[in-house]
PDB file of all heavy atoms in Angstrom:
ATOM      1  N   VAL A  29      22.874 -54.394  -3.653  1.00  0.00           N
ATOM      2  CA  VAL A  29      23.619 -54.856  -4.796  1.00  0.00           C
ATOM      3  C   VAL A  29      24.669 -53.830  -5.226  1.00  0.00           C
ATOM      4  O   VAL A  29      25.763 -54.208  -5.660  1.00  0.00           O
ATOM      5  CB  VAL A  29      22.644 -55.165  -5.962  1.00  0.00           C
ATOM      6  CG1 VAL A  29      23.402 -55.677  -7.168  1.00  0.00           C
ATOM      7  CG2 VAL A  29      21.595 -56.176  -5.507  1.00  0.00           C
ATOM      8  N   GLN A  30      24.367 -52.548  -5.117  1.00  0.00           N
ATOM      9  CA  GLN A  30      25.295 -51.539  -5.573  1.00  0.00           C
ATOM     10  C   GLN A  30      26.593 -51.565  -4.753  1.00  0.00           C
ATOM     11  O   GLN A  30      27.678 -51.255  -5.278  1.00  0.00           O
ATOM     12  CB  GLN A  30      24.667 -50.158  -5.462  1.00  0.00           C
ATOM     13  CG  GLN A  30      23.488 -49.925  -6.391  1.00  0.00           C
ATOM     14  CD  GLN A  30      22.187 -50.497  -5.865  1.00  0.00           C
ATOM     15  OE1 GLN A  30      22.180 -51.097  -4.762  1.00  0.00           O
ATOM     16  NE2 GLN A  30      21.116 -50.317  -6.562  1.00  0.00           N
ATOM     17  N   TRP A  31      26.499 -51.899  -3.465  1.00  0.00           N
ATOM     18  CA  TRP A  31      27.690 -51.916  -2.616  1.00  0.00           C
ATOM     19  C   TRP A  31      28.208 -53.336  -2.457  1.00  0.00           C
ATOM     20  O   TRP A  31      29.144 -53.520  -1.668  1.00  0.00           O
ATOM     21  CB  TRP A  31      27.332 -51.339  -1.264  1.00  0.00           C
ATOM     22  CG  TRP A  31      26.990 -49.898  -1.287  1.00  0.00           C
ATOM     23  CD1 TRP A  31      27.138 -49.025  -2.346  1.00  0.00           C
ATOM     24  CD2 TRP A  31      26.416 -49.108  -0.221  1.00  0.00           C
ATOM     25  NE1 TRP A  31      26.708 -47.785  -2.012  1.00  0.00           N
ATOM     26  CE2 TRP A  31      26.262 -47.780  -0.707  1.00  0.00           C
ATOM     27  CE3 TRP A  31      26.036 -49.399   1.078  1.00  0.00           C
ATOM     28  CZ2 TRP A  31      25.742 -46.781   0.082  1.00  0.00           C
ATOM     29  CZ3 TRP A  31      25.525 -48.395   1.865  1.00  0.00           C
ATOM     30  CH2 TRP A  31      25.367 -47.108   1.365  1.00  0.00           C
ATOM     31  N   HIS A  32      27.662 -54.292  -3.131  1.00  0.00           N
ATOM     32  CA  HIS A  32      28.112 -55.679  -3.061  1.00  0.00           C
ATOM     33  C   HIS A  32      28.018 -56.203  -1.620  1.00  0.00           C
ATOM     34  O   HIS A  32      28.912 -56.868  -1.086  1.00  0.00           O
ATOM     35  CB  HIS A  32      29.561 -55.858  -3.596  1.00  0.00           C
ATOM     36  CG  HIS A  32      29.734 -55.340  -4.989  1.00  0.00           C
ATOM     37  ND1 HIS A  32      29.309 -56.004  -6.108  1.00  0.00           N
ATOM     38  CD2 HIS A  32      30.282 -54.161  -5.426  1.00  0.00           C
ATOM     39  CE1 HIS A  32      29.585 -55.312  -7.181  1.00  0.00           C
ATOM     40  NE2 HIS A  32      30.211 -54.171  -6.799  1.00  0.00           N
ATOM     41  N   VAL A  33      26.907 -55.865  -0.965  1.00  0.00           N
ATOM     42  CA  VAL A  33      26.676 -56.244   0.411  1.00  0.00           C
ATOM     43  C   VAL A  33      25.606 -57.343   0.444  1.00  0.00           C
ATOM     44  O   VAL A  33      24.535 -57.156  -0.141  1.00  0.00           O
ATOM     45  CB  VAL A  33      26.251 -55.068   1.262  1.00  0.00           C
ATOM     46  CG1 VAL A  33      25.905 -55.504   2.669  1.00  0.00           C
ATOM     47  CG2 VAL A  33      27.377 -54.035   1.318  1.00  0.00           C
ATOM     48  N   ARG A  34      25.907 -58.414   1.105  1.00  0.00           N
ATOM     49  CA  ARG A  34      24.954 -59.497   1.261  1.00  0.00           C
ATOM     50  C   ARG A  34      24.379 -59.528   2.671  1.00  0.00           C
ATOM     51  O   ARG A  34      25.018 -59.036   3.616  1.00  0.00           O
ATOM     52  CB  ARG A  34      25.585 -60.844   0.933  1.00  0.00           C
ATOM     53  CG  ARG A  34      26.053 -60.995  -0.517  1.00  0.00           C
ATOM     54  CD  ARG A  34      26.806 -62.285  -0.671  1.00  0.00           C
ATOM     55  NE  ARG A  34      28.008 -62.310   0.166  1.00  0.00           N
ATOM     56  CZ  ARG A  34      28.738 -63.383   0.394  1.00  0.00           C
ATOM     57  NH1 ARG A  34      28.372 -64.567  -0.119  1.00  0.00           N
ATOM     58  NH2 ARG A  34      29.837 -63.326   1.142  1.00  0.00           N
ATOM     59  N   GLU A  35      23.217 -60.123   2.793  1.00  0.00           N
ATOM     60  CA  GLU A  35      22.574 -60.169   4.107  1.00  0.00           C
ATOM     61  C   GLU A  35      23.217 -61.257   4.988  1.00  0.00           C
ATOM     62  O   GLU A  35      23.527 -62.322   4.559  1.00  0.00           O
ATOM     63  CB  GLU A  35      21.089 -60.503   3.936  1.00  0.00           C
ATOM     64  CG  GLU A  35      20.313 -60.562   5.226  1.00  0.00           C
ATOM     65  CD  GLU A  35      18.866 -60.900   4.979  1.00  0.00           C
ATOM     66  OE1 GLU A  35      18.454 -61.075   3.800  1.00  0.00           O
ATOM     67  OE2 GLU A  35      18.095 -61.019   6.006  1.00  0.00           O
ATOM     68  N   GLY A  36      23.436 -60.869   6.259  1.00  0.00           N
ATOM     69  CA  GLY A  36      23.950 -61.838   7.230  1.00  0.00           C
ATOM     70  C   GLY A  36      25.442 -61.927   7.353  1.00  0.00           C
ATOM     71  O   GLY A  36      25.923 -62.766   8.070  1.00  0.00           O
ATOM     72  N   ILE A  37      26.209 -61.048   6.709  1.00  0.00           N
ATOM     73  CA  ILE A  37      27.655 -61.116   6.801  1.00  0.00           C
ATOM     74  C   ILE A  37      28.124 -60.182   7.943  1.00  0.00           C
ATOM     75  O   ILE A  37      27.468 -59.196   8.276  1.00  0.00           O
ATOM     76  CB  ILE A  37      28.314 -60.705   5.486  1.00  0.00           C
ATOM     77  CG1 ILE A  37      27.998 -59.249   5.136  1.00  0.00           C
ATOM     78  CG2 ILE A  37      27.899 -61.660   4.350  1.00  0.00           C
ATOM     79  CD1 ILE A  37      28.716 -58.719   3.926  1.00  0.00           C
ATOM     80  N   LYS A  38      29.281 -60.490   8.508  1.00  0.00           N
ATOM     81  CA  LYS A  38      29.860 -59.644   9.568  1.00  0.00           C
ATOM     82  C   LYS A  38      30.546 -58.480   8.910  1.00  0.00           C
ATOM     83  O   LYS A  38      31.571 -58.623   8.249  1.00  0.00           O
ATOM     84  CB  LYS A  38      30.836 -60.476  10.408  1.00  0.00           C
ATOM     85  CG  LYS A  38      30.193 -61.663  11.120  1.00  0.00           C
ATOM     86  CD  LYS A  38      31.228 -62.446  11.893  1.00  0.00           C
ATOM     87  CE  LYS A  38      30.542 -63.651  12.606  1.00  0.00           C
ATOM     88  NZ  LYS A  38      31.550 -64.446  13.326  1.00  0.00           N
ATOM     89  N   ALA A  39      30.000 -57.311   9.157  1.00  0.00           N
ATOM     90  CA  ALA A  39      30.513 -56.103   8.494  1.00  0.00           C
ATOM     91  C   ALA A  39      30.598 -54.917   9.442  1.00  0.00           C
ATOM     92  O   ALA A  39      30.520 -53.807   8.979  1.00  0.00           O
ATOM     93  CB  ALA A  39      29.627 -55.723   7.303  1.00  0.00           C
ATOM     94  N   GLY A  40      30.791 -55.151  10.683  1.00  0.00           N
ATOM     95  CA  GLY A  40      30.910 -54.015  11.609  1.00  0.00           C
ATOM     96  C   GLY A  40      31.040 -54.506  13.036  1.00  0.00           C
ATOM     97  O   GLY A  40      31.062 -55.700  13.330  1.00  0.00           O
ATOM     98  N   CYS A  41      31.150 -53.543  13.946  1.00  0.00           N
ATOM     99  CA  CYS A  41      31.256 -53.819  15.369  1.00  0.00           C
ATOM    100  C   CYS A  41      30.704 -52.627  16.139  1.00  0.00           C
ATOM    101  O   CYS A  41      30.678 -51.489  15.633  1.00  0.00           O
ATOM    102  CB  CYS A  41      32.684 -54.151  15.780  1.00  0.00           C
ATOM    103  SG  CYS A  41      33.871 -52.833  15.364  1.00  0.00           S
ATOM    104  N   LYS A  42      30.344 -52.865  17.385  1.00  0.00           N
ATOM    105  CA  LYS A  42      29.814 -51.804  18.229  1.00  0.00           C
ATOM    106  C   LYS A  42      30.089 -52.147  19.670  1.00  0.00           C
ATOM    107  O   LYS A  42      30.325 -53.296  20.023  1.00  0.00           O
ATOM    108  CB  LYS A  42      28.293 -51.606  18.025  1.00  0.00           C
ATOM    109  CG  LYS A  42      27.452 -52.789  18.488  1.00  0.00           C
ATOM    110  CD  LYS A  42      25.994 -52.484  18.355  1.00  0.00           C
ATOM    111  CE  LYS A  42      25.145 -53.672  18.888  1.00  0.00           C
ATOM    112  NZ  LYS A  42      23.675 -53.386  18.795  1.00  0.00           N
ATOM    113  N   THR A  43      30.025 -51.131  20.494  1.00  0.00           N
ATOM    114  CA  THR A  43      30.216 -51.313  21.923  1.00  0.00           C
ATOM    115  C   THR A  43      29.500 -50.176  22.641  1.00  0.00           C
ATOM    116  O   THR A  43      29.273 -49.099  22.057  1.00  0.00           O
ATOM    117  CB  THR A  43      31.709 -51.343  22.312  1.00  0.00           C
ATOM    118  OG1 THR A  43      31.810 -51.596  23.701  1.00  0.00           O
ATOM    119  CG2 THR A  43      32.370 -50.004  22.007  1.00  0.00           C
ATOM    120  N   THR A  44      29.160 -50.405  23.913  1.00  0.00           N
ATOM    121  CA  THR A  44      28.436 -49.427  24.732  1.00  0.00           C
ATOM    122  C   THR A  44      29.194 -49.234  26.025  1.00  0.00           C
ATOM    123  O   THR A  44      29.568 -50.228  26.677  1.00  0.00           O
ATOM    124  CB  THR A  44      26.995 -49.885  25.036  1.00  0.00           C
ATOM    125  OG1 THR A  44      26.331 -50.110  23.797  1.00  0.00           O
ATOM    126  CG2 THR A  44      26.255 -48.852  25.819  1.00  0.00           C
ATOM    127  N   ILE A  45      29.419 -47.998  26.418  1.00  0.00           N
ATOM    128  CA  ILE A  45      30.101 -47.665  27.663  1.00  0.00           C
ATOM    129  C   ILE A  45      29.147 -46.850  28.524  1.00  0.00           C
ATOM    130  O   ILE A  45      28.339 -46.058  28.013  1.00  0.00           O
ATOM    131  CB  ILE A  45      31.410 -46.886  27.408  1.00  0.00           C
ATOM    132  CG1 ILE A  45      31.162 -45.682  26.482  1.00  0.00           C
ATOM    133  CG2 ILE A  45      32.435 -47.774  26.759  1.00  0.00           C
ATOM    134  CD1 ILE A  45      32.399 -44.843  26.202  1.00  0.00           C
ATOM    135  N   ARG A  46      29.262 -47.086  29.787  1.00  0.00           N
ATOM    136  CA  ARG A  46      28.361 -46.401  30.744  1.00  0.00           C
ATOM    137  C   ARG A  46      29.185 -45.902  31.922  1.00  0.00           C
ATOM    138  O   ARG A  46      30.330 -46.204  32.087  1.00  0.00           O
ATOM    139  CB  ARG A  46      27.314 -47.394  31.288  1.00  0.00           C
ATOM    140  CG  ARG A  46      26.416 -47.974  30.206  1.00  0.00           C
ATOM    141  CD  ARG A  46      25.489 -49.041  30.756  1.00  0.00           C
ATOM    142  NE  ARG A  46      24.627 -49.618  29.725  1.00  0.00           N
ATOM    143  CZ  ARG A  46      24.943 -50.622  28.949  1.00  0.00           C
ATOM    144  NH1 ARG A  46      26.143 -51.183  29.058  1.00  0.00           N
ATOM    145  NH2 ARG A  46      24.094 -51.080  28.044  1.00  0.00           N
ATOM    146  N   GLY A  47      28.517 -45.034  32.713  1.00  0.00           N
ATOM    147  CA  GLY A  47      29.133 -44.563  33.946  1.00  0.00           C
ATOM    148  C   GLY A  47      30.313 -43.636  33.677  1.00  0.00           C
ATOM    149  O   GLY A  47      30.269 -42.762  32.822  1.00  0.00           O
ATOM    150  N   ASN A  48      31.380 -43.831  34.467  1.00  0.00           N
ATOM    151  CA  ASN A  48      32.538 -42.938  34.344  1.00  0.00           C
ATOM    152  C   ASN A  48      33.199 -43.061  32.987  1.00  0.00           C
ATOM    153  O   ASN A  48      33.755 -42.053  32.490  1.00  0.00           O
ATOM    154  CB  ASN A  48      33.552 -43.317  35.438  1.00  0.00           C
ATOM    155  CG  ASN A  48      33.038 -42.967  36.822  1.00  0.00           C
ATOM    156  OD1 ASN A  48      32.054 -42.273  36.977  1.00  0.00           O
ATOM    157  ND2 ASN A  48      33.698 -43.529  37.851  1.00  0.00           N
ATOM    158  N   ALA A  49      33.153 -44.229  32.374  1.00  0.00           N
ATOM    159  CA  ALA A  49      33.780 -44.358  31.051  1.00  0.00           C
ATOM    160  C   ALA A  49      33.096 -43.490  30.008  1.00  0.00           C
ATOM    161  O   ALA A  49      33.746 -42.957  29.133  1.00  0.00           O
ATOM    162  CB  ALA A  49      33.756 -45.846  30.594  1.00  0.00           C
ATOM    163  N   ALA A  50      31.768 -43.340  30.116  1.00  0.00           N
ATOM    164  CA  ALA A  50      31.041 -42.465  29.179  1.00  0.00           C
ATOM    165  C   ALA A  50      31.441 -40.996  29.343  1.00  0.00           C
ATOM    166  O   ALA A  50      31.649 -40.289  28.355  1.00  0.00           O
ATOM    167  CB  ALA A  50      29.540 -42.657  29.378  1.00  0.00           C
ATOM    168  N   TYR A  51      31.582 -40.567  30.578  1.00  0.00           N
ATOM    169  CA  TYR A  51      31.997 -39.186  30.808  1.00  0.00           C
ATOM    170  C   TYR A  51      33.453 -38.940  30.356  1.00  0.00           C
ATOM    171  O   TYR A  51      33.740 -37.882  29.794  1.00  0.00           O
ATOM    172  CB  TYR A  51      31.853 -38.842  32.282  1.00  0.00           C
ATOM    173  CG  TYR A  51      30.437 -38.563  32.711  1.00  0.00           C
ATOM    174  CD1 TYR A  51      29.643 -39.578  33.252  1.00  0.00           C
ATOM    175  CD2 TYR A  51      29.874 -37.304  32.604  1.00  0.00           C
ATOM    176  CE1 TYR A  51      28.352 -39.342  33.615  1.00  0.00           C
ATOM    177  CE2 TYR A  51      28.565 -37.041  32.987  1.00  0.00           C
ATOM    178  CZ  TYR A  51      27.805 -38.089  33.497  1.00  0.00           C
ATOM    179  OH  TYR A  51      26.512 -37.823  33.895  1.00  0.00           O
ATOM    180  N   GLU A  52      34.312 -39.911  30.566  1.00  0.00           N
ATOM    181  CA  GLU A  52      35.694 -39.746  30.104  1.00  0.00           C
ATOM    182  C   GLU A  52      35.790 -39.717  28.598  1.00  0.00           C
ATOM    183  O   GLU A  52      36.612 -38.960  28.060  1.00  0.00           O
ATOM    184  CB  GLU A  52      36.538 -40.900  30.679  1.00  0.00           C
ATOM    185  CG  GLU A  52      36.731 -40.823  32.197  1.00  0.00           C
ATOM    186  CD  GLU A  52      37.472 -42.000  32.733  1.00  0.00           C
ATOM    187  OE1 GLU A  52      37.716 -42.941  31.923  1.00  0.00           O
ATOM    188  OE2 GLU A  52      37.817 -42.030  33.939  1.00  0.00           O
ATOM    189  N   PHE A  53      34.990 -40.527  27.910  1.00  0.00           N
ATOM    190  CA  PHE A  53      35.000 -40.474  26.448  1.00  0.00           C
ATOM    191  C   PHE A  53      34.504 -39.130  25.947  1.00  0.00           C
ATOM    192  O   PHE A  53      35.111 -38.543  25.020  1.00  0.00           O
ATOM    193  CB  PHE A  53      34.135 -41.588  25.858  1.00  0.00           C
ATOM    194  CG  PHE A  53      33.978 -41.567  24.397  1.00  0.00           C
ATOM    195  CD1 PHE A  53      34.983 -41.997  23.520  1.00  0.00           C
ATOM    196  CD2 PHE A  53      32.816 -41.039  23.823  1.00  0.00           C
ATOM    197  CE1 PHE A  53      34.809 -41.943  22.153  1.00  0.00           C
ATOM    198  CE2 PHE A  53      32.642 -40.992  22.467  1.00  0.00           C
ATOM    199  CZ  PHE A  53      33.651 -41.420  21.632  1.00  0.00           C
ATOM    200  N   LEU A  54      33.436 -38.643  26.504  1.00  0.00           N
ATOM    201  CA  LEU A  54      32.942 -37.321  26.077  1.00  0.00           C
ATOM    202  C   LEU A  54      33.929 -36.212  26.421  1.00  0.00           C
ATOM    203  O   LEU A  54      34.036 -35.245  25.640  1.00  0.00           O
ATOM    204  CB  LEU A  54      31.594 -37.049  26.805  1.00  0.00           C
ATOM    205  CG  LEU A  54      30.781 -35.863  26.280  1.00  0.00           C
ATOM    206  CD1 LEU A  54      30.456 -36.030  24.806  1.00  0.00           C
ATOM    207  CD2 LEU A  54      29.518 -35.694  27.096  1.00  0.00           C
TER     208      LEU A  54
END
């Protein structure tokens, strides 16, 4: 309630990288 956040709304994004892409990001 303090942040005016309701359950079940789209409020973010994520992704996972593996292999060579993970080493290049690091």
